[in-house]
Amino acid sequence: GKYDDVAGMVDIMNKSLEEIKGLIERLSGTDILNITKMLTTAKKVYILGRGLTEYVGEEFSFKLQLLDIDAMFIGDPNIMREKAKRLGTEDIIIIFSLMGQTKELVESAEYASERNVQIVTCCCSDTSPLLKYSNVSLVGMRHKHVAIQDYEVSSRLPLQMMSRIIIDALVMNVKE
Protein backbone atom coordinates (compact mmCIF):
# COMPACT_ATOMS: atom_id res chain seq x y z
CA GLY A 1 0.00 0.00 0.00
CA LYS A 2 0.85 3.69 0.29
CA TYR A 3 2.93 3.29 3.46
CA ASP A 4 5.25 0.77 1.79
CA ASP A 5 5.89 3.23 -1.04
CA VAL A 6 6.83 5.98 1.42
CA ALA A 7 9.08 3.64 3.44
CA GLY A 8 10.67 2.51 0.18
CA MET A 9 11.35 6.12 -0.81
CA VAL A 10 13.02 6.79 2.55
CA ASP A 11 15.28 3.76 1.96
CA ILE A 12 16.16 5.04 -1.51
CA MET A 13 17.08 8.50 -0.21
CA ASN A 14 19.02 7.08 2.73
CA LYS A 15 21.17 5.08 0.29
CA SER A 16 22.54 8.30 -1.23
CA LEU A 17 22.93 9.91 2.18
CA GLU A 18 24.93 6.92 3.45
CA GLU A 19 27.26 7.00 0.44
CA ILE A 20 27.95 10.71 0.89
CA LYS A 21 28.40 10.48 4.67
CA GLY A 22 30.64 7.43 4.24
CA LEU A 23 32.80 9.36 1.78
CA ILE A 24 33.04 12.56 3.84
CA GLU A 25 34.04 10.58 6.95
CA ARG A 26 36.85 8.87 5.03
CA LEU A 27 38.28 11.92 3.27
CA SER A 28 41.33 13.75 4.55
CA GLY A 29 41.58 17.50 4.06
CA THR A 30 45.35 17.10 3.77
CA ASP A 31 44.95 14.65 0.88
CA ILE A 32 42.61 17.05 -0.93
CA LEU A 33 45.07 19.93 -0.48
CA ASN A 34 47.94 17.73 -1.69
CA ILE A 35 45.94 16.89 -4.81
CA THR A 36 45.21 20.58 -5.50
CA LYS A 37 48.92 21.34 -5.11
CA MET A 38 49.79 18.53 -7.52
CA LEU A 39 47.22 19.78 -10.02
CA THR A 40 48.38 23.40 -9.96
CA THR A 41 52.06 22.50 -10.36
CA ALA A 42 51.71 19.73 -12.96
CA LYS A 43 52.80 20.30 -16.53
CA LYS A 44 49.93 18.16 -17.80
CA VAL A 45 47.13 16.23 -16.10
CA TYR A 46 45.78 13.00 -17.58
CA ILE A 47 42.47 11.72 -16.25
CA LEU A 48 41.68 8.04 -16.82
CA GLY A 49 38.38 6.20 -16.49
CA ARG A 50 36.43 3.37 -18.10
CA GLY A 51 32.77 2.49 -18.59
CA LEU A 52 30.21 4.69 -16.84
CA THR A 53 33.01 6.30 -14.84
CA GLU A 54 34.17 7.97 -18.07
CA TYR A 55 31.41 10.55 -17.55
CA VAL A 56 32.91 11.51 -14.18
CA GLY A 57 36.41 11.76 -15.68
CA GLU A 58 35.26 13.81 -18.66
CA GLU A 59 33.42 16.30 -16.46
CA PHE A 60 36.43 16.56 -14.11
CA SER A 61 38.78 17.13 -17.06
CA PHE A 62 36.49 19.81 -18.50
CA LYS A 63 36.33 21.68 -15.18
CA LEU A 64 40.14 21.58 -14.83
CA GLN A 65 40.39 23.07 -18.32
CA LEU A 66 38.01 25.87 -17.27
CA LEU A 67 40.44 26.56 -14.40
CA ASP A 68 43.28 26.86 -16.95
CA ILE A 69 44.87 23.55 -16.00
CA ASP A 70 46.21 21.57 -18.94
CA ALA A 71 44.06 18.45 -18.59
CA MET A 72 43.06 15.64 -20.92
CA PHE A 73 40.66 12.76 -20.40
CA ILE A 74 41.53 9.32 -21.80
CA GLY A 75 38.97 6.52 -21.89
CA ASP A 76 40.56 4.37 -24.59
CA PRO A 77 42.42 1.38 -23.04
CA ASN A 78 45.22 1.26 -25.64
CA ILE A 79 45.87 5.00 -25.58
CA MET A 80 45.97 5.13 -21.76
CA ARG A 81 48.48 2.25 -21.62
CA GLU A 82 50.75 3.80 -24.28
CA LYS A 83 50.51 7.30 -22.81
CA ALA A 84 51.40 6.02 -19.33
CA LYS A 85 54.65 4.58 -20.74
CA ARG A 86 55.70 8.02 -22.02
CA LEU A 87 54.86 10.40 -19.18
CA GLY A 88 57.38 12.46 -17.28
CA THR A 89 57.74 13.24 -13.58
CA GLU A 90 56.10 16.65 -14.09
CA ASP A 91 52.87 14.99 -15.29
CA ILE A 92 50.03 13.64 -13.16
CA ILE A 93 47.58 10.83 -13.72
CA ILE A 94 44.23 10.91 -11.94
CA ILE A 95 42.33 7.65 -12.10
CA PHE A 96 38.60 7.41 -11.43
CA SER A 97 37.44 3.83 -10.92
CA LEU A 98 34.52 2.50 -8.89
CA MET A 99 36.04 -0.83 -7.79
CA GLY A 100 39.60 0.02 -8.86
CA GLN A 101 40.09 -3.36 -10.53
CA THR A 102 39.87 -2.48 -14.25
CA LYS A 103 42.85 -4.14 -15.92
CA GLU A 104 43.90 -1.31 -18.23
CA LEU A 105 43.69 1.26 -15.43
CA VAL A 106 45.87 -0.87 -13.17
CA GLU A 107 48.38 -1.48 -16.01
CA SER A 108 48.51 2.25 -16.80
CA ALA A 109 49.13 3.04 -13.13
CA GLU A 110 51.91 0.45 -13.04
CA TYR A 111 53.63 1.90 -16.16
CA ALA A 112 53.31 5.48 -14.88
CA SER A 113 54.58 4.46 -11.45
CA GLU A 114 57.73 2.96 -13.02
CA ARG A 115 58.37 6.41 -14.54
CA ASN A 116 57.84 8.16 -11.16
CA VAL A 117 54.74 9.93 -12.42
CA GLN A 118 52.49 11.25 -9.64
CA ILE A 119 49.32 9.18 -9.44
CA VAL A 120 46.03 10.02 -7.74
CA THR A 121 43.36 7.34 -7.41
CA CYS A 122 39.71 8.03 -6.68
CA CYS A 123 37.86 4.77 -6.06
CA CYS A 124 35.47 2.96 -3.71
CA SER A 125 37.47 -0.10 -2.71
CA ASP A 126 40.05 -0.56 0.04
CA THR A 127 41.43 -3.56 -1.83
CA SER A 128 42.04 -1.90 -5.19
CA PRO A 129 45.45 -2.75 -6.71
CA LEU A 130 45.57 0.91 -7.85
CA LEU A 131 46.22 2.03 -4.28
CA LYS A 132 49.74 0.60 -4.14
CA TYR A 133 50.76 2.71 -7.17
CA SER A 134 49.18 5.93 -5.92
CA ASN A 135 50.85 8.90 -4.25
CA VAL A 136 47.46 10.02 -2.95
CA SER A 137 44.20 8.10 -2.97
CA LEU A 138 40.65 8.98 -2.05
CA VAL A 139 38.59 5.93 -1.15
CA GLY A 140 34.84 6.31 -0.85
CA MET A 141 32.17 3.99 0.46
CA ARG A 142 30.05 2.11 -2.06
CA HIS A 143 26.53 1.15 -1.04
CA LYS A 144 25.99 -2.62 -1.19
CA HIS A 145 22.50 -2.35 -2.64
CA VAL A 146 22.60 -2.37 -6.45
CA ALA A 147 19.51 -1.03 -8.21
CA ILE A 148 19.99 -2.72 -11.62
CA GLN A 149 21.29 -6.22 -10.96
CA ASP A 150 22.33 -7.45 -14.41
CA TYR A 151 24.74 -4.62 -15.27
CA GLU A 152 27.66 -2.85 -13.64
CA VAL A 153 25.80 0.43 -13.30
CA SER A 154 26.32 1.09 -9.60
CA SER A 155 26.09 4.67 -8.47
CA ARG A 156 29.11 6.86 -9.24
CA LEU A 157 27.92 9.33 -6.60
CA PRO A 158 31.02 8.96 -4.36
CA LEU A 159 33.32 9.49 -7.38
CA GLN A 160 31.27 12.51 -8.48
CA MET A 161 31.57 13.94 -4.97
CA MET A 162 35.35 13.42 -4.94
CA SER A 163 35.56 15.26 -8.25
CA ARG A 164 33.40 18.09 -6.92
CA ILE A 165 35.39 18.43 -3.68
CA ILE A 166 38.72 18.58 -5.54
CA ILE A 167 37.34 21.22 -7.95
CA ASP A 168 35.87 23.26 -5.07
CA ALA A 169 39.21 23.11 -3.23
CA LEU A 170 41.04 24.21 -6.39
CA VAL A 171 38.66 27.15 -6.86
CA MET A 172 39.12 28.13 -3.20
CA ASN A 173 42.92 28.03 -3.59
CA VAL A 174 42.88 29.90 -6.90
CA LYS A 175 40.87 32.75 -5.35
CA GLU A 176 43.23 33.22 -2.40
Side-chain angles (χ1 to χ4, degrees):
K2 283 274 183 252
Y3 173 75
D4 293 341
D5 294 347
V6 172
M9 285 309 301
V10 170
D11 286 347
I12 287 170
M13 290 187 265
N14 274 335
K15 194 168 84 164
S16 291
L17 187 62
E18 280 174 36
E19 277 190 336
I20 296 300
K21 273 171 52 184
L23 170 66
I24 300 296
E25 286 164 6
R26 301 180 81 172
L27 286 185
S28 138
T30 309
D31 286 343
I32 304 289
L33 289 172
N34 285 341
I35 294 169
T36 62
K37 211 167 281 152
M38 290 161 77
L39 286 168
T40 50
T41 56
K43 191 174 99 181
K44 186 146 177 118
V45 180
Y46 295 91
I47 297 101
L48 311 183
R50 296 286 291 134
L52 280 182
T53 305
E54 290 180 38
Y55 297 112
V56 179
E58 283 170 358
E59 182 185 336
F60 185 72
S61 174
F62 177 66
K63 287 179 177 174
L64 290 180
Q65 291 164 20
L66 293 178
L67 294 171
D68 298 319
I69 291 172
D70 189 359
M72 175 184 177
F73 174 77
I74 304 173
D76 181 282
N78 299 318
I79 294 173
M80 66 177 64
R81 280 191 201 100
E82 286 310 310
K83 199 71 190 159
K85 293 175 184 172
R86 297 183 168 92
L87 299 181
T89 51
E90 66 284 355
D91 298 315
I92 297 183
I93 286 188
I94 299 195
I95 301 171
F96 285 95
S97 178
L98 192 62
M99 295 312 294
Q101 306 287 341
T102 309
K103 192 163 143 284
E104 54 268 32
L105 296 176
V106 175
E107 288 170 3
S108 298
E110 194 177 349
Y111 299 142
S113 163
E114 285 164 9
R115 301 182 60 79
N116 293 315
V117 174
Q118 299 215 59
I119 300 168
V120 174
T121 293
C122 297
C123 71
C124 293
S125 167
D126 291 311
T127 59
S128 165
L130 289 169
L131 301 177
K132 69 170 175 270
Y133 300 115
S134 303
N135 301 78
V136 185
S137 42
L138 306 181
V139 182
M141 188 205 99
R142 181 169 162 263
H143 202 282
K144 296 288 172 271
H145 175 75
V146 179
I148 306 174
Q149 297 295 339
D150 297 341
Y151 305 95
E152 181 37 76
V153 292
S154 296
S155 164
R156 266 56 182 179
L157 188 59
L159 298 178
Q160 289 161 331
M161 282 304 299
M162 290 175 202
S163 163
R164 176 189 173 177
I165 289 166
I166 295 168
I167 295 295
D168 285 353
L170 268 172
V171 170
M172 181 186 79
N173 288 340
V174 168
K175 281 182 183 160
E176 283 174 3

